[in-house]
Amino acid sequence: MKIPRTSPFAAALSLLLSASALSAADNPVPPEAIRSDDIPQGTLTRGAFADTKIYPGTTRDYAVYVPAQYDRESDEEAALMVFHDGYGFCREDGGSRAHIVFDHLIHEGSMPVTIGLFIQPGVLPPLQEGGEVRLNRSIEYDILNGNYARFLIEEFIPYVEKTYDVKISQDPNRRGLCGASSGGIAAFTAAWERPDSFRRVFSMVGTFTGHRGGDDYPTLVRRTEPKPLRVFIQGNTDDLDLGSGDWWIANLSLQRALEFSGYETDHQWGEGGHGQKNGAAIFPEVMRWLWETETVSSHPENYGSRSRDYIDLEADWEVVSEGHQWAEGLVATDDGTLFFTDVRAGELYKIAPDGTKTLVDDDTGRTNGLALGPDGRIYGAAAGAKEIRAWDPATGERETIASGTHSNDLVVHHEGHIYYTDPQEGKVWHLAPGTRERRAADPKFPTCNGIAISADHSLLYVADFSGRYIHSYQIQPDGSLKYKLPFFHAQLPADGGHSHLDGMCVNDQGNLLVATSAGIQVFDPRGRILIVLPRPNHEDARTNYVAFGGPDRKTLYVATAGTVYRRPAKQFRGAHPQAPLQAGAGE
């Protein structure tokens, strides 16, 4: 039963008063969960697994279901469903009896030949008899990071394939996850972090609450570029209501966020407390729904945010250059030529509009940030050489602008003022035009990093590399800075990891784009997040830099450690770095 788009509390009242709301008595064992001699029966084998480097020292029990229809002699790869708290899903005397349901649904053709992995959370046994056992369930299931997905992908699934001589499909459309409570959020998190490996999710009474940041998910789903996931949310109206949150309202909030963002999603609310009776009763129908499509799409055309008008959400990231040690400092000239550095290799490259890549300089002094100056030259923060440099974009001729100074990133004002960050000394420096006199524009900013200038050149933005704010200053007529304010409020990694607020750029509508550990965060002029564009590749640790390029400045470029990517924008257009916009001049 679906909830209409009213307030959560009005929806809750309507449901509680509805005669059709499911009660405990309305949760019978479905016929598909009852053994039948007329249905081929798969095998269920139990074991224990301890060979893990991701959760070292832990051991866990598991069961593997192999359907009768699976042929080990053929080259056919089986589909996959992973169940968290798995033993609760493959009992013969209660719960979902998922392996029996699989027998029925595979036989009737409602789902593919599917191997089931029923895996328990890890435990760390005590060194001495009688010692305390460390239970890993919460740290594996409730936390919002990719560790558990990596455990499945890199360690456990390959172990099952080798141990049980089975071939499991690598196609993410043929791989799903299921769980209840903390196992429910674990299923969603693994797919959210790795949609390249898992795309189908059934969450029962999921713990999308404040245990370890799960209450962030509704906001994350609304802010983040849609991912190709198919998700069924089941919750109970009388579920837990604790200090970390209200379970049913949390599930309702996530379900509404998924609908807002255009996901393939469905849901049902049952009565009762924190249990699986309703989830078990609807399990066969959910499996039919989950597997009724061959592929899963992200459907950006249904995304509720206006950001779909700004970024081409239907276009993939395209690799522009790869194999670098540490790509940084993206900047484009008027003809669409892109310049960037490989910091660790000490190299400066340019890529012409036709894709031709040229090495401009092989001794950059470990230049990080790049910026276009009013004289048309490319300015760079040569941290290793302790210099600020400038290159002629046509000839590659290099000039030292300032020496004896640490630096990381820089920007050049249209009147010639140069601002750069110096995280080693914890300062933002200003080089005056003409005289190049150096002074500390902000003498106390310990973790300053990325830097950008507003589209009208009236404000300077500096990122706090380890925090969550990008600070805003007003640029005074003499080039000094005033009225510092932590203005742009960035999304931090939900697991408490490093934000890595790094390279930045602006568009001609006043939006600020920031490269972070989560991807590219796009802010409106008031400092609020519009959308998060995830890292182009899950293997990229973070994004380092972002810039607009192309002859029309409507191509978005992103640098990660080893690769430079590009992607077309729509209504977004980069602000010209040396042509300040007047108020209302943006598209």
Side-chain angles (χ1 to χ4, degrees):
M1 172 169 37
K2 291 188 175 180
I3 300 297
R5 279 191 172 275
T6 56
S7 74
F9 299 102
L13 180 60
S14 172
L15 183 60
L16 289 171
L17 295 177
S18 171
S20 63
L22 295 173
S23 66
D26 294 319
N27 293 317
V29 176
E32 298 92 339
I34 299 173
R35 288 277 187 200
S36 171
D37 293 336
D38 297 328
I39 301 297
Q41 297 181 12
T43 60
L44 191 69
T45 308
R46 298 178 184 265
F49 179 73
D51 187 16
T52 170
K53 295 180 181 178
I54 295 174
Y55 299 112
T58 63
T59 184
R60 68 199 65 230
D61 295 328
Y62 67 85
V64 176
Y65 163 84
V66 180
Q69 294 86 347
Y70 180 72
D71 183 3
R72 286 184 169 85
E73 301 303 319
S74 74
D75 293 330
E76 180 183 1
E77 294 181 331
L80 173 70
M81 278 292 294
V82 179
F83 293 83
H84 305 112
D85 296 313
Y87 280 6
F89 286 92
C90 62
R91 294 165 49 198
E92 296 281 341
D93 60 347
S96 299
R97 300 177 175 93
H99 57 305
I100 301 174
V101 173
F102 278 18
D103 286 342
H104 283 262
L105 299 190
I106 293 171
H107 177 69
E108 72 180 37
S110 295
M111 62 185 294
V113 174
T114 304
I115 288 173
L117 304 185
F118 301 86
I119 185 169
Q120 293 291 99
V123 297
L124 181 67
L127 288 175
Q128 298 178 348
E129 185 177 352
E132 184 173 350
V133 176
R134 190 180 72 191
L135 304 177
N136 259 36
R137 184 172 183 266
S138 181
I139 196 65
E140 292 179 6
Y141 287 4
D142 291 321
I143 198 166
L144 275 61
N145 65 24
N147 288 346
Y148 189 72
R150 286 184 52 230
F151 165 75
L152 294 175
I153 296 164
E154 299 173 17
E155 296 183 336
F156 189 67
I157 294 173
Y159 161 81
V160 169
E161 289 184 299
K162 181 178 179 180
T163 303
Y164 296 92
D165 187 26
V166 294
K167 302 182 186 73
I168 294 173
S169 176
Q170 298 297 308
D171 182 354
N173 293 290
R174 290 171 55 83
R175 293 161 70 136
L177 307 116
C178 179
S181 189
S182 291
I185 190 175
F188 185 81
T189 297
W192 176 261
E193 291 289 333
R194 295 297 299 273
D196 63 311
S197 288
F198 307 102
R199 293 191 177 174
R200 303 178 193 270
V201 177
F202 179 21
S203 170
M204 303 179 187
V205 294
T207 304
F208 298 100
T209 58
H211 277 6
R212 294 181 184 266
D215 50 340
D216 283 348
Y217 263 135
T219 302
L220 281 170
V221 168
R222 289 173 181 269
R223 283 178 172 172
T224 305
E225 177 183 357
K227 303 183 181 187
L229 302 179
R230 187 171 177 85
V231 184
F232 195 100
I233 299 290
Q234 185 277 328
N236 292 334
T237 58
D238 296 318
D239 207 336
L240 298 173
D241 187 4
L242 304 175
S244 58
D246 181 316
W247 262 247
W248 181 58
I249 295 300
N251 278 270
L252 178 60
S253 295
L254 177 60
Q255 175 263 318
R256 287 170 64 85
L258 290 166
E259 285 193 350
F260 171 87
S261 297
Y263 281 81
E264 297 180 7
T265 185
D266 205 345
H267 64 280
Q268 179 161 299
W269 313 126
E271 283 189 343
H274 193 65
Q276 299 182 34
K277 288 184 178 180
N278 179 236
I282 66 174
F283 183 81
E285 286 307 311
V286 173
M287 288 298 106
R288 289 187 177 97
W289 177 86
L290 206 64
W291 290 99
E292 70 181 5
T293 61
E294 290 189 9
T295 60
V296 179
S297 302
S298 58
H299 303 287
E301 71 278 6
N302 296 328
Y303 191 32
S305 170
R306 278 199 63 207
S307 55
R308 67 182 178 185
D309 299 326
Y310 301 145
I311 301 294
D312 190 343
L313 298 178
E314 297 185 15
D316 292 330
W317 291 102
E318 176 189 355
V319 173
V320 176
S321 185
E322 58 186 337
H324 301 287
Q325 296 181 42
W326 195 266
E328 274 263 16
L330 307 171
V331 67
T333 53
D334 287 347
D335 66 352
T337 299
L338 178 75
F339 287 77
F340 71 93
T341 68
D342 186 330
V343 179
R344 293 173 181 170
E347 297 169 339
L348 173 66
Y349 291 93
K350 67 178 180 180
I351 300 178
D354 64 3
T356 303
K357 184 169 71 173
T358 304
L359 178 64
V360 177
D361 192 348
D362 62 359
D363 184 18
T364 66
R366 293 177 64 90
T367 293
N368 286 284
L370 295 178
L372 184 66
D375 55 5
R377 293 192 296 174
I378 305 298
Y379 287 74
K386 295 184 180 179
E387 294 179 350
I388 303 298
R389 295 177 171 181
W391 288 267
D392 184 298
T395 67
E397 181 180 352
R398 181 208 309 159
E399 179 189 357
T400 298
I401 303 300
S403 58
T405 179
H406 296 292
S407 62
N408 184 78
D409 203 356
L410 85 170
V411 69
V412 185
H413 189 271
H414 74 283
E415 293 180 350
H417 301 280
I418 298 174
Y419 300 94
Y420 62 94
T421 55
D422 177 358
Q424 290 199 39
E425 292 194 25
K427 297 178 181 179
V428 179
W429 293 101
H430 169 226
L431 291 178
T435 66
R436 296 175 183 168
E437 176 187 355
R438 182 165 69 107
R439 62 186 177 189
D442 185 345
K444 192 175 182 180
F445 199 146
T447 53
C448 57
N449 195 293
I451 192 168
I453 199 165
S454 64
D456 67 352
H457 283 217
S458 67
L459 302 170
L460 188 73
Y461 306 135
V462 179
D464 181 350
F465 187 66
S466 61
R468 75 176 311 154
Y469 289 102
I470 297 96
H471 294 253
S472 174
Y473 306 80
Q474 187 181 70
I475 301 173
Q476 303 303 300
D478 64 354
S480 62
L481 303 178
K482 278 190 174 183
Y483 312 121
K484 178 181 180 181
L485 190 67
F487 191 75
F488 297 92
H489 185 266
Q491 179 74 53
L492 286 176
D495 65 353
H498 208 305
S499 63
H500 295 118
L501 301 181
D502 205 342
M504 306 189 293
C505 67
V506 296
N507 75 347
D508 63 1
Q509 298 175 18
N511 300 105
L512 178 69
L513 288 76
V514 184
T516 75
S517 58
I520 303 303
Q521 300 191 35
V522 183
F523 299 85
D524 69 17
R526 298 181 180 182
R528 305 169 300 190
I529 294 178
L530 272 176
I531 190 173
V532 178
L533 304 175
R535 300 185 303 274
N537 189 314
H538 72 268
E539 294 181 356
D540 296 324
R542 61 183 176 94
T543 53
N544 306 329
Y545 225 87
V546 59
F548 285 97
D552 57 1
R553 299 190 307 282
K554 295 188 74 172
T555 299
L556 193 62
Y557 288 90
V558 170
T560 64
T563 310
V564 177
Y565 302 87
R566 70 181 173 191
R567 185 178 185 181
K570 292 176 77 173
Q571 293 180 21
F572 266 7
R573 181 181 180 185
H576 192 291
Q578 292 304 325
L581 288 177
Q582 302 300 316
E587 289 186 355

